[in-house]
Amino acid sequence: MSVVAVATEKDAGLASSDPDDLGFLALSSDLVCICRNDRVTAINPAGARILKATRPADLVGRRFHEFLAPDYAEAVDEALAVLVDETQPFPLKLIAIDGTEVGVQVSVFLAGERDPSAVIVFARDVTRQVELSEAIHRSEQRFRNIVHHALDLICLCEGDRIAFVNRAGLKILGGTNPDEVVGRKVVEFLHPDYQGIFAESVVPLMREESLLPVKMIRLDGRAVDVEIGLTPFDGQIGAHYLMEARDITDHNRHVTALRRLIETLEQRVQERTRDLTHEVAERRRAEEAMRHMASHDVLTGLPNRYLLKDRLGQALARAQRDGAKAALLFIDLDGFKPVNDTLGHEAGDLLLRGVAGRLADRIRSTDTAARVGGDEFVVALADVKAVDDAGRLAQALIDELNRPFDLDGSEVRIGASVGLALFPDHGASADDLHRAADAAMYEAKRGGKNTWRLPPGLF
């Protein structure tokens, strides 16, 4: 996020519902606004320009949530509260007043003791960067692969020397003029511990799909952590190749796991790296573990609601394409609370893991079982022939959960109320299907529990 000045009310040109907010970062070229309870109370002229408003005052009082593109607005109800926890600028798409999409990088900060209920939103418009890349793609054939694979720093290397460097690359390397970099050897900008990797052929590095973390040395002698990728130029592995690098210095300061991984890799590089392939595989496993944590429930290991939504969307798309059906089972455990209250939370957690294991064991590999709440689970079924097929599975899952659970020597019994909804009979979208299954589950609760039901009025 760029450094901006603080202006007075007279100079700022800001619109605000609170005069105390008007002297806030008016000279920024990025969107800067203050929100209270998701409503914009102050916004700078650059923000009004980015959102295509005639003047900042037109935006004051409106919910910030309404400017989120549908994909983001539907996925997160309280977007600003979620983004406060992000340590890095988060990529989003905003919808301007005229309906056009604006790609931005967003950071959200608490206002602090001055106003604990307010947050400060910074958004950088990156639409121009995308348009510039497209212009280069159209006007310069030889740089199309560079634009297509671009990270931040982009270099065209001929042999062991740099033949081209982009503006972002100059900034990362601490230069102001391409002549400071072009013509110099690549190894001059690498930390001594990493120069051995480039001393011989770089062909093996071009064949690696993963990015390689290294240290580069700027023109001022300062080290910077980057991830680099090497790509053959014009699709042929030879003396000409593209080097792309993303600055991860700040990222490393905040992500402990990634820092440990880089330190481990640095240590092995200092020992002249005997097995680079093994190191890349280790990094790939770490990244896969991070992706798994982001898409799965920590307690049960089942997919979470975000992964469920993605898989359900795929199942509905296939069903619509093939003229088939899909189904959603909403499962609420009967009798879970007494177990949790009587035997304690550890026993409750053990019971939830047991339920998750039984659900996963009973469904097909093409289906998805997910935990979406405390004692709520959802099963998405692909390629369902008829409601009877889904009903039989619903009853089978109820019977499975009726069997006693052994919780460290304590035998407990629970039940399950299941709501069943079919696509396209009970809903044409994932959200519609989820609401229908939820309503059907409450019908099962009202019907005496430990049974399954279709949505109300559809027996």
Side-chain angles (χ1 to χ4, degrees):
M1 202 54 70
S2 60
V3 178
V4 293
V6 178
T8 65
E9 179 178 351
K10 177 179 178 181
D11 297 330
L14 288 165
S16 172
S17 61
D18 184 348
D20 290 339
D21 293 334
L22 295 181
F24 189 78
L25 300 174
L27 301 182
S28 175
S29 60
D30 301 329
L31 180 152
V32 182
C33 70
I34 299 176
C35 294
R36 294 183 178 87
N37 299 322
D38 193 47
R39 293 198 177 274
V40 176
T41 62
I43 187 166
N44 66 338
R49 185 169 58 254
I50 289 172
L51 294 176
K52 306 299 194 302
T54 304
R55 55 200 180 95
D58 295 337
L59 303 175
V60 173
R62 298 181 65 168
R63 294 184 64 230
F64 187 85
H65 199 80
E66 69 182 85
F67 296 112
L68 296 179
D71 289 346
Y72 299 94
E74 294 173 3
V76 183
D77 293 333
E78 298 292 339
L80 296 181
V82 172
L83 292 175
V84 165
D85 295 329
E86 292 291 331
T87 59
Q88 295 292 311
F90 191 83
L92 284 178
K93 282 188 178 181
L94 301 181
I95 301 298
I97 289 179
D98 62 0
T100 59
E101 286 190 349
V102 182
V104 296
Q105 295 278 353
V106 175
S107 295
V108 181
F109 305 93
L110 294 175
E113 296 181 357
R114 177 176 175 270
D115 190 348
S117 67
V119 295
I120 304 171
V121 181
F122 293 84
R124 168 166 292 177
D125 184 354
V126 296
T127 306
R128 178 176 174 81
Q129 298 174 22
V130 176
E131 293 173 350
L132 180 59
S133 296
E134 292 174 350
I136 294 174
H137 181 81
R138 290 190 300 268
S139 63
E140 192 71 40
Q141 177 66 35
R142 68 180 303 205
F143 289 116
R144 287 187 178 180
N145 287 336
I146 296 177
V147 174
H148 181 66
H149 298 288
L151 298 175
D152 287 332
L153 177 149
I154 305 172
C155 286
L156 172 62
C157 301
E158 296 180 352
D160 61 350
R161 296 185 180 274
I162 298 173
F164 165 83
V165 63
N166 68 338
R167 183 177 299 176
L170 277 176
K171 182 178 180 181
I172 289 177
L173 296 176
T176 57
N177 190 308
D179 293 339
E180 298 176 87
V181 175
V182 173
R184 297 179 63 172
K185 292 185 177 182
V186 175
V187 294
E188 294 182 48
F189 296 99
L190 295 176
H191 188 279
D193 292 340
Y194 293 84
Q195 291 178 359
I197 298 176
F198 288 80
E200 299 178 356
S201 174
V202 296
V203 171
L205 300 179
M206 295 184 194
R207 295 193 175 117
E208 291 294 338
E209 296 181 0
S210 297
L211 298 176
L212 179 68
V214 303
K215 279 187 181 294
M216 299 192 77
I217 302 299
R218 290 164 40 101
L219 291 168
D220 59 9
R222 184 166 62 87
V224 55
D225 291 320
V226 298
E227 291 178 325
I228 69 168
L230 302 181
T231 306
F233 190 63
D234 291 334
Q236 298 180 357
I237 296 180
H240 295 187
Y241 61 91
L242 305 178
M243 182 173 72
E244 310 156 73
R246 175 185 299 133
D247 187 346
I248 58 171
T249 304
D250 291 337
H251 182 68
N252 285 350
R253 293 193 186 104
H254 301 289
V255 183
T256 303
L258 184 57
R259 185 173 65 246
R260 290 197 187 115
L261 184 61
I262 291 175
E263 289 172 354
T264 300
L265 185 56
E266 287 176 350
Q267 180 181 356
R268 294 181 180 180
V269 169
Q270 291 170 357
E271 296 170 355
R272 301 193 63 84
T273 309
R274 299 173 182 172
D275 191 352
L276 181 59
T277 302
H278 174 72
E279 297 296 340
V280 173
E282 181 178 342
R283 177 176 176 78
R284 188 178 296 121
R285 285 193 297 270
E287 292 174 347
E288 182 61 32
M290 294 173 68
R291 286 193 292 269
H292 185 274
M293 291 176 61
S295 60
H296 288 74
D297 176 53
V298 175
L299 176 63
T300 65
L302 291 179
N304 59 22
R305 62 174 65 249
Y306 301 111
L307 181 55
L308 170 68
K309 182 176 181 179
D310 178 70
R311 291 187 179 176
L312 180 58
Q314 296 179 33
L316 297 188
R318 288 196 301 271
Q320 186 173 31
R321 181 192 62 212
D322 301 336
K325 293 181 181 293
L328 195 70
L329 305 179
F330 195 104
I331 304 169
D332 187 87
L333 302 182
D334 299 326
F336 172 75
K337 189 175 185 301
V339 173
N340 204 45
D341 292 344
T342 303
L343 300 180
H345 293 299
E346 290 185 3
D349 290 347
L350 191 59
L351 177 57
L352 291 174
R353 286 194 288 269
V355 169
R358 293 189 186 184
L359 293 178
D361 289 343
R362 291 288 302 187
I363 63 175
R364 301 168 299 179
S365 60
T366 55
D367 302 328
T368 300
R371 183 186 178 211
V372 297
D375 61 345
E376 295 177 338
F377 296 81
V378 170
V379 175
L381 306 177
D383 192 21
V384 176
K385 303 300 181 184
V387 66
D388 290 342
D389 296 331
R392 280 191 291 272
L393 177 60
Q395 188 58 53
L397 294 179
I398 292 172
D399 295 341
E400 183 69 24
L401 298 180
N402 284 164
R403 293 193 300 107
F405 289 84
D406 182 3
L407 307 182
D408 287 338
S410 297
E411 183 178 289
V412 299
R413 291 180 178 272
I414 60 171
S417 296
V418 180
L420 168 59
L422 267 71
F423 170 87
D425 309 61
H426 306 142
S429 69
D431 290 339
D432 292 343
L433 212 59
H434 192 98
R435 284 191 290 268
D438 187 47
M441 182 273 291
Y442 281 105
E443 285 295 308
K445 290 283 189 184
R446 285 190 286 269
K449 300 182 179 181
N450 206 36
T451 186
W452 66 272
R453 289 288 186 270
L454 292 170
L458 297 175
F459 292 95

